[in-house]
Amino acid sequence: MRVLVTGGAGFIGSHVVEALTAHGHEPVVYDVRADPESDVRNPSTVRDALTGVDAVCHQAAMVGLGVGFSDAAEYVSRNDLGTAVLLTAMADAGVPRLVLAGSMVVYGEGRYACARHGVVRPGSRAVADLKAGRFEPPCPVCGADLAPGLVAEDAPADPRNVYATTKLAQEHLAAAWARATGGTAVSLRYHNVYGPGMPRDTPYAGVASFFRSALARGEAPRVFEDGCQRRDFVHVRDVAAANVATLEAGSAVLPQGALTAYNTGSGDPHTVGEMARALAAAYGGPEPVVTGEYRLGDVRHITADSSRLRAELGWKPEVGFAEGMREFAEAGLRGA
């Protein structure tokens, strides 16, 4: 299979390219890092890149929470306009398969249950609560404490920041393309991806990269809030394998004319504080510092139920948390 990989020179994209090659496919890298003309917002170069292509693995995106709402136009341009240009060219070229790098951020907060009111959806956390160190979202009905759980694909979307909003818009665009063309579209909703080749020293990188960059500078990782935020840290090679499994899935599994979403996580949740401590110990650096700081737009707990991806596509993560953190501690980072 000849597969166009947008963002194929990036962190996740480069691992997807390696995995495709290992499985006997022919990846075609399309990335502004490799060629400044290779921007997904450029209709002519996108059309040229799609020549002879059987499927597209769309990894190109502006990622992370960003540095404020001033980034909004750039996020929308790169993520949503870029996706629209790509999908238009795919429709014109008759390319029938799309795998989209989705994100767990489309859910907003994760799944919560109240002892009295069952499963509930808490609203955005109040600034006054965050300033006071009250980080756990309360039950929106009675104000009681909530128990976090695993979020499934049928959870309602509730994006809490600009990046999350653009990732949800990408899914809607892909669904519209699939309906209009009869194509097959899949969004792999990545959870917290980490591993070799993460970008360093950039406000758009993930928390694992922040901590690893700090250790490389001889500094203690700075953990926001109280460090008890729950996340699902999934290794980049497992994410790449999920892309290959999706591309190789037959029409009996993936419907035509619709978008299918799959959570893509390890299934082994850990707190941000646990991750920082494991990484610092593996690196041999200073212990993390819990700062109590917060970022508006961050959510408290978001962990994946990835059983659907396992059951339907036969994928399973291979890199455990401890093993992955030891490798990540020794791996090199790339420039921003």
Side-chain angles (χ1 to χ4, degrees), residues 38 141 159 169 207 240 296:
S38 297
V141 180
V207 65
L296 291 177

Side-chain angles (χ1 to χ4, degrees), residues 223-256:
V223 180
F224 280 16
E225 301 187 17
D226 57 4
C228 294
Q229 312 93 297
R230 286 163 52 90
R231 297 290 188 269
D232 186 317
F233 299 100
V234 59
H235 196 277
V236 66
R237 286 197 300 275
D238 288 329
V239 167
N243 278 270
V244 175
T246 304
L247 287 164
E248 293 180 341
S251 58
V253 177
L254 299 175
Q256 295 178 322

Side-chain angles (χ1 to χ4, degrees), residues 189-280:
R189 290 175 175 170
Y190 301 158
H191 282 248
N192 289 73
V193 186
Y194 74 97
M198 284 195 84
R200 66 173 181 269
D201 299 327
T202 166
Y204 302 97
V207 65
S209 176
F210 294 159
F211 294 164
R212 178 65 175 76
S213 296
L215 290 166
R217 296 191 300 269
E219 301 172 2
R222 294 176 61 83
V223 180
F224 280 16
E225 301 187 17
D226 57 4
C228 294
Q229 312 93 297
R230 286 163 52 90
R231 297 290 188 269
D232 186 317
F233 299 100
V234 59
H235 196 277
V236 66
R237 286 197 300 275
D238 288 329
V239 167
N243 278 270
V244 175
T246 304
L247 287 164
E248 293 180 341
S251 58
V253 177
L254 299 175
Q256 295 178 322
L259 178 131
T260 305
Y262 290 108
N263 286 336
T264 308
S266 71
D268 181 26
H270 290 270
T271 68
V272 172
E274 287 173 337
M275 189 271 283
R277 290 190 293 272
L279 188 58

Side-chain angles (χ1 to χ4, degrees), residues 65-183:
L65 186 57
V67 295
F69 198 82
S70 60
D71 293 326
E74 189 69 12
Y75 270 112
V76 171
S77 177
R78 293 196 187 188
N79 295 353
D80 299 338
L81 175 59
T83 298
V85 170
L86 173 66
L87 293 171
T88 300
M90 288 177 64
D92 291 342
V95 179
R97 296 175 66 90
L98 171 73
V99 178
L100 172 68
S103 176
M104 54 83 179
V105 295
V106 300
Y107 298 116
E109 288 284 355
R111 185 180 189 275
Y112 293 87
C114 172
R116 289 180 58 193
H117 298 101
V119 176
V120 295
R121 295 285 297 174
S124 298
R125 294 182 293 172
V127 172
D129 287 338
L130 294 171
K131 286 183 175 179
R134 295 188 294 268
F135 301 119
E136 295 289 342
C139 173
V141 180
C142 66
D145 293 339
L146 298 174
L150 301 180
V151 62
E153 290 88 351
D154 60 357
D158 185 17
R160 301 289 178 95
N161 55 60
V162 171
Y163 170 63
T165 302
T166 66
K167 296 306 290 184
L168 182 58
Q170 283 185 308
E171 290 194 355
H172 289 318
L173 287 166
W177 165 84
R179 286 192 295 270
T181 65

